[in-house]
Amino acid sequence: MIEDLSNGTTGPRGKLAVRGLDVFYRVEKPKKGQPGENQALKAVDLDVGVNEVLALIGPSGCGKSTFLRVLNRMNDTVPGARVAGSVTLDGEEILAPKYDVVGLRRRVGMVFQRPVAFPKSIFDNVAYGLRAHGLSEKRELEWRVQQALTRAALWDEVKDRLDANGLGLSGGQAQRLCIARALAVEPEVLLMDEPTSALDPIATAKLEELIAELREELTIVIVTHSMQQAGRVSQRTAFFYMGSLVEVGTTRDVFTRPREPRTEDYISGRFG
Amino acid sequence: MSTVTQLEATPVARKAGRAASFRRKSPAWHGLAEWGIRATALLAIAAIVLIFVFILKEALPILFDTHVRGEVSLMKMWLPQAWDGGPARFSWQPASEVPKYSLMPLVAGSLKVTLIALVISAPIAILAAVYTASIAPRRVREVLKPVVELLAGVPSVVLGVFALIVAGTWLQKLFGFEHRLNAVLAGCALSVTIVPLIFTIAEDAITAVPRDYVDASLALGATKMHTILRVVVPAAVPGIAAGIVLGFGRAIGETMIVVIASGNAALLDATLGHSTRTITATIAQEMGETVHGSPHYVVLFVLGATLLAFTFVTNLGAQRIVEHFRKKRGGT
Ligand SMILES: Nc1ncnc2c1ncn2[C@@H]1O[C@H](COP(=O)(O)OP(=O)(O)OP(=O)(O)O)[C@@H](O)[C@H]1O
Ligand SMILES: [Mg+2]
C-alpha cells in the first residue's frame, strides 16, 4: 500500500496523510466473552493529494463513512468512539487532543450520507456556516448563498422561495442543499458520503461536473457505491473491506487490473 | 419413516399454528383495546364536562336569581363602582356592610403572582434544561434530571410554610418590601413548584432534537455554543413553549402556597412588594364561610368559572403558538 504512495499515484503534494489509523466503536451492552469495542478501521495508511478526487469504495459496513468522519474529527461526537494512529492535514497532526477542531471543520467540509436540512429557511440553511464563521454582511451573504446554490445545481429550483422551509424540499433537493451548505464556506477539503444516492440522473451528472470543476480549487474524498461514478469523477480509488484498506491506486488501475483478488471479486461482482 | 417425518415437522407446524392462531386472534384483541381506549377517553372528557357543568350551574344565579342580583351582578363585578358615594373604584370586600364584589383585585393578584413565578422559573428551568440536555456530561445528566424532578414532589404546604416563616424575612430585608408577605414572596415559592415542570418538558423537547442536526452544524465548523443556540434550542421551541404554558396553568391554579405566603390583602396595584390576594386563595378561604346559594357563594363560583376560562384560553393560545412554530418548521 505504501508503495502506491510513492509511485506517482498521489497528487503533486500530499494534502492529507493517514498512517496506522485504527477506529473503535463502543459496543453497548457487550455479551459475555464479546469485546467491549468493535474495530471499524484497522491500520489504514492512505494519502490524499492536493486537488485530487479520491473515491472510496467497498461493501456496506466496511468503514468508508468512518474513515471520512475521522478526517474532520466528526467521530468525536460519537460517544465511546476511539481513534488511534496519525492523520495530518498539510503536515499538521489533526488527531492531537488539543487540536482546534472547530477550525479543522471549517477547512474540511462534509456532506453526510443522510441529507439533513435544518428546520430553517433555505437561505438560512445555506448561510448557516457563513454566519457561524462570523459573516453577517447581508450583500456578501446573499451573493455567497446564490453562488453555492448555483454550483450545487439547486438555484433555479429554489430562487423564488429562498424563505421557504428547508424541510419542505424533496430528498434529492435536500441533498443538493447540503452540498451547497458545505460549499458556501469554501472548504479546502470536501468529504462527500454518497452525495448522489438520492439524485436523479440529471442532477447526478450535474454534480459530477461540479466535482470535476471543484477539483481545480479543492481536494475531494467521495464515497460511492457506483463503480461508474468512481470511474467518472476520481483520479484514485481506494477499496475498503471489513475495516481494512485492501488496495489503493489510480482509478484506472484499480478497475482494470486490480492486484488483490478481493478487489477483483468486488468490482466484477458489481459489474457482472 | 413417516413418523420420523412427522416428528421432524412438528415444531415447524406448531410454530406455524401458533402464528396463525395469533393472527386469527389479534383483531378481537385489537378491537377490545380500541374499545377500552375509547371508553377511557370518553370518561376523561365526561369528567371535565361535568366539572364545567357543575361550576356553571352554581354560578348561573348571578344572571337569574333576583335575591343574588339585588346585591351583585356581572357588571358590578367587572366595572368600577362608586360604592359609598365616593369615586368609582374596584374593591373586594364581601364581608363589609355593603358587600363589594370587584373581581379586578383578585384577577390582578392572580396574574401578578403567576407572572412573577413565570419570570423567575422559566429562565431558570430553560437554562437548566439546555445545560442538562446538551452541555452536561452524561454522568451529571443522569443525576441532575431526577434531582430537579424530585423538587416537584415537595408538598406545596411545606414550601408555603417555609416562605411564611423564613423566606419572607429574607426577601423583605433584601428588597425592603413594605409587606412581609407579598406577591414576590408567593411568586418565588410558586416558582419552586413550576421549575421542575417546565424543566422536564423543555429537557425532553431538547433531547428529542435529532442528533443529525447537531452533527450537521458541527461539521460546518460551528462551535458547540453556536449549535445549541442556533439549531438545538430553536428546534425545541414548541416543546419549551408548551412547558411554559403548562407552568402558567399550574401557577395560576396553585392554592396552598398563595394562601400562606401572599398576604391575602385584595389590593389593586402594581407594586410587587405589596400584599396580594389571588382568585384561588379567595375561593379556598371564603367558601367555608358562605351560605349555600347566597350572593357571596355564587360570586365565588363565578370566580372559579373565570379561572377555568383563563386556563382554557391560555391553553388554546398555546396550542396556536405551538402549531404556528410547527408550521414554520415545516414539520408535521
Ligand atoms: N456510531 C456508531 N456506533 C457503533 N458502531 C458504528 C457506528 N458507526 C458505524 N459503526 C460500525 O462501524 C462499521 C463501519 O461502519 P461505516 O458506517 O463506516 O460503514 P460504511 O462503509 O460507510 O457502510 P455504508 O456503505 O453502508 O454506508 C460498521 O460495522 C458499523 O456497524
Ligand atoms: Mg457509509
Side-chain angles (χ1 to χ4, degrees), chain A residues 53-71:
Chain A
V53 178
L54 171 69
L56 307 182
I57 61 170
S60 191
C62 68
K64 305 178 298 293
S65 299
T66 301
F67 181 80
L68 273 199
R69 291 169 63 94
V70 169
L71 300 182

Side-chain angles (χ1 to χ4, degrees), chain B residues 290-305:
Chain B
T290 58
V291 180
H292 187 105
S294 69
H296 191 185
Y297 176 93
V298 172
V299 165
L300 289 183
F301 271 92
V302 175
L303 266 181

Side-chain angles (χ1 to χ4, degrees), chain A residues 85 90 265:
Chain A
D90 289 336
D265 288 350

Side-chain angles (χ1 to χ4, degrees), chain A residues 215-268:
Chain A
R215 189 165 80 84
E216 315 272 311
E217 307 152 34
L218 46 87
T219 302
I220 295 173
V221 184
I222 178 171
V223 173
T224 175
H225 278 296
S226 153
M227 304 297 147
Q228 290 91 335
Q229 181 166 66
R232 284 191 297 264
V233 301
S234 71
Q235 283 73 57
R236 289 199 311 143
T237 295
F239 172 61
F240 283 77
Y241 187 74
M242 293 181 66
S244 299
L245 174 64
V246 173
E247 179 164 358
V248 58
T250 60
T251 298
R252 187 182 325 139
D253 282 351
V254 171
F255 283 134
T256 53
R257 19 190 187 98
R259 280 169 300 141
E260 292 284 332
R262 276 177 299 179
T263 315
E264 186 159 8
D265 288 350
Y266 181 69
I267 290 170
S268 55

